[in-house]
Amino acid sequence: MIKQYIKILLFLALPLFSYTQSRIDSLKNSLMSSTDGYSRYKAARGIYDYYEEKNRDSALYYTDEAVSIAKKYNQKVPEGYSLVNKAYQLIGLGRFGDAFQCLQKAFSIAEDTKNEKTDTWDLSLGNFSGNKRLLCLSYTHHMFALLMVRTENIERQIFHFKEAAKIGKAVNWLPRVMLANMNLGQSYLTINKPDSALFYESEAERLAVEINYKKYLGNIKVLMGDIYQAIGKPKMALQYYYRGIQISIEQGNLRSLSRNYLRLIKYHLASGNNDSALYYSRQNLQTIQSLGSVTGTESNVGIGYENMYM
């Protein structure tokens, strides 16, 4: 039943994909043909947002375009923000040294108060009208924390996620608070503090629904599932993983989709449900391949094939 539901959900998503592809084609035309700097930056930024969790290689290409355009027009804060986007993709590709250099440049921009005195272009956010430099600083702290996750520096990742949340709250931009809480849940679960993990993840889930920012809600679901698994409630965990798949497909977030698939593969292998394990392994391998070049602790082609083999 669940597998049939997922197939139907994928089918229903096709018209939305067609509309989105049309929008992306329009942005690409704008990027190539516009002579105005902000119009070109906005187009590159929009294309990046589309590819951010769908294809690492394409996302990296278009955020590089955004960085180049911002530098050309001396737009320091948009340049810093795009450098953080670039760092995110480099982390996903396993290029940690390059990501660190991008974040160093972004910190130097975001920590310089002189940069908030200039009229800067909009960043990749809808209706934000506050201090863009501080918003960029919050984002930079968040991404540095993600780099610390990959280097397994738990103290630094918790510190920087909390800094990101504090600044995000100060500038009244709740998506930054929500994303920091989402990752803090994972950090505290890593050090075997499930109560703290559940607190932060529940806050992230609440905020995601409250502000209708659901792009990463599928990732919140997988982490909630992991927390309930850790506290000995596997049935509750399983419900979160299935719901995470549904939301990830709806939102087009392939990274969180893969994470939920991986949990179901593990569950069905342990339960001896080989047909279901094979089904989700195939779905996951296709998802990883769609993401492009991925070098992650969970999502990479080698793991995808290993699950198929098992």
Side-chain angles (χ1 to χ4, degrees):
M1 180 65 71
I2 292 292
K3 290 187 283 188
Q4 284 296 111
Y5 179 75
I6 291 171
K7 289 178 181 178
I8 292 169
L9 191 62
L10 286 165
F11 176 77
L12 292 174
L14 288 176
L16 177 61
F17 173 79
S18 178
Y19 169 79
T20 306
Q21 189 59 52
S22 174
R23 171 64 177 156
I24 292 304
D25 290 341
S26 175
L27 287 172
K28 288 180 179 179
N29 288 333
S30 178
L31 178 61
M32 292 179 62
S33 60
S34 295
T35 56
D36 172 64
Y38 177 57
S39 296
R40 295 188 68 237
Y41 174 81
K42 186 165 63 171
R45 183 196 70 193
I47 302 169
Y48 169 81
D49 287 344
Y50 172 77
Y51 283 118
E52 184 176 46
E53 300 294 353
K54 292 183 175 71
N55 187 285
R56 296 290 187 209
D57 300 319
S58 296
L60 182 60
Y61 174 82
Y62 285 105
T63 199
D64 259 335
E65 288 289 297
V67 170
S68 297
I69 295 166
K71 287 182 70 174
K72 179 179 178 180
Y73 290 89
N74 197 34
Q75 291 286 324
K76 301 301 293 182
V77 175
E79 177 190 347
Y81 200 89
S82 297
L83 281 167
V84 181
N85 284 337
K86 182 176 181 178
Y88 180 53
Q89 299 306 321
L90 291 169
I91 292 168
L93 293 167
R95 294 167 55 183
F96 304 136
D98 292 336
F100 180 71
Q101 291 181 9
C102 287
L103 292 172
Q104 281 187 310
K105 293 176 184 176
F107 269 124
S108 68
I109 290 170
E111 289 175 340
D112 189 344
T113 56
K114 290 183 292 186
N115 289 326
E116 67 186 38
K117 297 177 181 178
T118 58
D119 183 25
T120 64
W121 295 338
D122 289 337
L123 306 177
S124 62
L125 302 162
N127 299 312
F128 182 76
S129 58
N131 189 313
K132 295 173 186 176
R133 178 189 70 82
L134 287 178
L135 182 63
C136 182
L137 182 59
S138 171
Y139 189 31
T140 309
H141 276 290
H142 184 95
M143 207 54 61
F144 194 85
L146 286 182
L147 181 60
M148 294 298 98
V149 170
R150 297 299 295 273
T151 58
E152 300 182 359
N153 189 329
I154 192 72
E155 291 183 5
R156 300 306 294 169
Q157 65 185 258
I158 289 175
F159 171 81
H160 285 283
F161 281 137
K162 287 186 174 180
E163 283 295 299
K166 182 174 71 174
I167 299 169
K169 189 174 182 180
V171 298
N172 196 31
W173 191 249
L174 293 181
R176 290 258 56 89
V177 181
M178 182 271 290
L179 289 167
N181 286 340
M182 177 184 77
N183 284 280
L184 281 167
Q186 179 170 304
S187 297
Y188 279 108
L189 184 60
T190 300
I191 56 175
N192 197 29
K193 292 186 176 181
D195 291 340
S196 296
L198 184 59
F199 168 79
Y200 283 107
E201 213 59 53
S202 296
E203 278 295 291
E205 187 176 38
R206 180 187 65 80
L207 280 173
V209 174
E210 179 182 309
I211 64 179
N212 196 31
Y213 186 72
K214 299 180 180 180
K215 182 176 182 179
Y216 294 96
L217 187 55
N219 197 60
I220 292 171
K221 296 298 181 184
V222 76
L223 293 170
M224 287 290 284
D226 289 350
I227 293 166
Y228 278 109
Q229 190 76 26
I231 61 179
K233 295 184 177 181
K235 289 185 179 179
M236 183 75 77
L238 202 59
Q239 291 176 19
Y240 272 103
Y241 298 147
Y242 281 125
R243 180 64 177 139
I245 287 175
Q246 178 189 350
I247 294 171
S248 298
I249 292 173
E250 291 171 353
Q251 297 297 316
N253 190 325
L254 298 188
R255 179 173 172 271
S256 64
L257 179 60
S258 176
R259 298 191 78 186
N260 281 284
Y261 279 148
L262 281 166
R263 272 46 172 199
L264 290 179
I265 294 166
K266 184 177 180 180
Y267 168 80
H268 287 298
L269 281 172
S271 303
N273 304 326
N274 292 334
D275 289 342
S276 293
L278 181 59
Y279 171 80
Y280 288 114
S281 293
R282 284 175 174 158
Q283 295 297 111
N284 187 46
L285 182 59
Q286 292 173 5
T287 302
I288 292 170
Q289 290 171 332
S290 296
L291 274 167
S293 299
V294 178
T295 304
T297 55
E298 291 187 334
S299 296
N300 61 65
V301 173
I303 289 175
Y305 278 112
E306 180 184 1
N307 287 327
M308 290 281 289
Y309 170 77
M310 293 173 66

